[in-house]
Amino acid sequence: MKTILVMGGAGYIGSHTVKHLLDQGYQVVVADNLIYGHREAVDARATFVHADLLDSYSLEQIFKNHTIDAVVHFAAFAAVGESVENPERYYFNNVIGTVNLLHAMLSHGVKKIVFSSTCATYGEPQYTPIDEKHPQSPINPYGRTKLMIEQIFADYERAYGLQHIALRYFNAAGCAADGSIGESHTPETHLIPLVLKAIKGERADIKVFGTDYDTPDGTCIRDYIHVEDLASAHRLALEKLGSYNGCLNLGTGIGTSVKEIISAAEEVCGKPCPLQYVERRAGDPARLFADNASAKQVLGWEPKYIHIKDIIQTAWVWEQHKKY
Ligand code: UDP
């Protein structure tokens, strides 16, 4: 049995990956500073350590006190707008924090890491579907920190033999099918939870950002990938470390517009969604969806959730019974 350190394991995608790894027979140590993560989201079978990427001493202690075989790193900050207003916070936590983590790993002979990267490293798409060869030209500090981390991994591979896979997610969505854990951000900015809150009556409406995009219905198209499919891809990536180094897109390859999300949610919930059409949000490309052929081929991965209604259904169960 292997022991995996999940940095940021109390967050949305981290907590689902922790659960999946435990279900697959791994031992898991979760480290999280609980700034955005939820202690309740951490599976009781995992060992929890309160630690921050910028606290080298507490990182050091984790590797001293536990025999770690590999690390999955989710502990980056991820709010695009905030990264523009306060880039220092992002360069400290995401870039310097990751360098600290790699230092602690390498000092203890741990050379394996799977990292949450993002399609935001591509920037404005030059073509779709986006494959891994698409030029990387991020348009905000958040995307730049993730790209820098990918580049650091390549340098550390050459110099220190680091084994690394960076998974570039498209739009993570949905919740554990058993309703045990789910998505809970403060403030919430993501489309699907906001639509469900509007349907529930917890917010007045959903604001649709722009209806004049060059897409069939005028609203933006994104690739929504279920969080449990992301979790299984992380486990497969861990198992692939050593025979593959590099980056892989994680998406379904299917594009869904904002209007299509709202209609699908109305069908799932059986209630109308109050909405308002407003101006475009700055920095939103018209369409983003993945070419996921490499992830399928390299990892032997196949997303289980293909239909957007099935993804929304899991989010709806969580929205009605959420525990945190
Ligand atoms: N969106 C929207 N209203 C909202 C939140 C999001 O119309 O209140 C749109 C947004 O413009 C984008 C899509 O929904 O086209 C997905 O946005 P989200 O913030 O969930 O993810 P992003 O694609 O920005 O990572």
Side-chain angles (χ1 to χ4, degrees):
M1 189 187 294
K2 298 216 159 160
T3 303
I4 311 297
L5 170 64
V6 181
M7 282 301 306
Y12 171 41
I13 305 169
S15 59
H16 287 80
T17 302
V18 167
K19 181 174 186 296
H20 175 79
L21 288 171
L22 290 161
D23 289 345
Q24 295 290 315
Y26 286 88
Q27 281 182 343
V28 178
V29 176
V30 169
D32 202 294
N33 60 14
L34 298 180
I35 292 179
Y36 297 115
H38 303 272
R39 184 65 183 84
E40 311 92 296
V42 180
D43 195 299
R45 295 169 288 173
T47 302
F48 180 78
V49 182
H50 194 280
D52 190 290
L53 283 177
L54 293 177
D55 178 359
S56 304
Y57 177 77
S58 54
L59 294 181
E60 204 50 46
Q61 292 303 304
I62 298 172
F63 290 93
K64 232 172 115 182
N65 297 335
H66 304 274
T67 305
I68 303 292
D69 296 290
V71 175
V72 189
H73 174 17
F74 293 98
F77 293 153
V80 171
E82 187 195 37
S83 79
V84 175
E85 280 149 33
N86 192 0
E88 187 188 47
R89 188 163 188 256
Y90 280 68
Y91 289 109
F92 264 126
N93 181 77
N94 295 7
V95 181
I96 297 175
T98 301
V99 172
N100 279 343
L101 174 64
L102 290 169
H103 180 76
M105 287 171 59
L106 293 172
S107 321
H108 291 83
V110 180
K111 295 196 171 188
K112 295 175 184 286
I113 188 164
V114 172
F115 174 62
S116 0
S117 191
T118 166
C119 66
T121 60
Y122 295 116
E124 190 67 40
Q126 296 177 13
Y127 57 84
T128 49
I130 297 175
D131 57 21
E132 289 82 356
K133 293 190 189 73
H134 187 288
Q136 285 180 291
S137 188
I139 57 170
N140 50 60
Y142 162 66
R144 275 190 280 278
T145 63
K146 295 269 178 156
L147 175 56
M148 285 175 195
I149 295 166
E150 291 186 2
Q151 292 166 336
I152 289 169
F153 288 160
D155 287 338
Y156 278 41
E157 175 193 338
R158 278 183 289 271
Y160 314 125
L162 186 74
Q163 299 170 11
H164 57 100
I165 297 181
L167 299 171
R168 295 182 185 148
Y169 317 152
F170 283 65
N171 288 58
C175 299
D178 64 7
S180 57
I181 49 177
E183 184 170 16
S184 181
H185 299 112
T186 310
E188 188 52 78
T189 59
H190 294 113
L191 180 64
I192 293 176
L194 289 177
V195 166
L196 296 178
K197 286 178 199 306
I199 289 177
K200 239 172 101 183
E202 202 179 302
R203 0 176 347 113
D205 55 30
I206 178 83
K207 303 203 170 26
V208 176
F209 297 144
T211 50
D212 57 350
Y213 284 96
D214 181 20
T215 59
D217 67 20
T219 63
C220 287
I221 290 175
R222 295 289 180 272
D223 182 336
Y224 296 88
I225 170 88
H226 195 271
V227 66
E228 288 185 335
D229 285 325
L230 292 178
S232 67
H234 285 78
R235 196 251 312 160
L236 291 166
L238 278 169
E239 291 166 0
K240 207 71 200 174
L241 286 169
S243 53
Y244 179 87
N245 280 318
C247 304
L248 296 168
N249 284 341
L250 291 182
T252 58
I254 300 163
T256 308
S257 75
V258 174
K259 280 188 180 170
E260 286 169 338
I261 291 287
I262 294 170
S263 312
E266 288 178 331
E267 276 186 55
V268 167
C269 308
K271 291 183 210 168
C273 179
L275 53 86
Q276 243 194 83
Y277 294 115
V278 299
E279 288 302 297
R280 290 181 178 200
R281 182 173 71 175
D284 269 339
R287 50 182 95 215
L288 281 176
F289 54 98
D291 179 332
N292 61 11
S294 293
K296 287 181 172 174
Q297 194 234 319
V298 171
L299 304 179
W301 171 78
E302 195 64 51
K304 289 202 184 111
Y305 286 86
I306 292 302
H307 301 294
I308 194 66
K309 279 207 269 180
D310 296 338
I311 295 177
I312 294 174
Q313 176 62 44
T314 64
W316 182 228
V317 170
W318 171 252
E319 193 55 51
Q320 293 172 101
H321 307 288
K322 60 197 295 185
K323 303 175 184 78
Y324 49 87

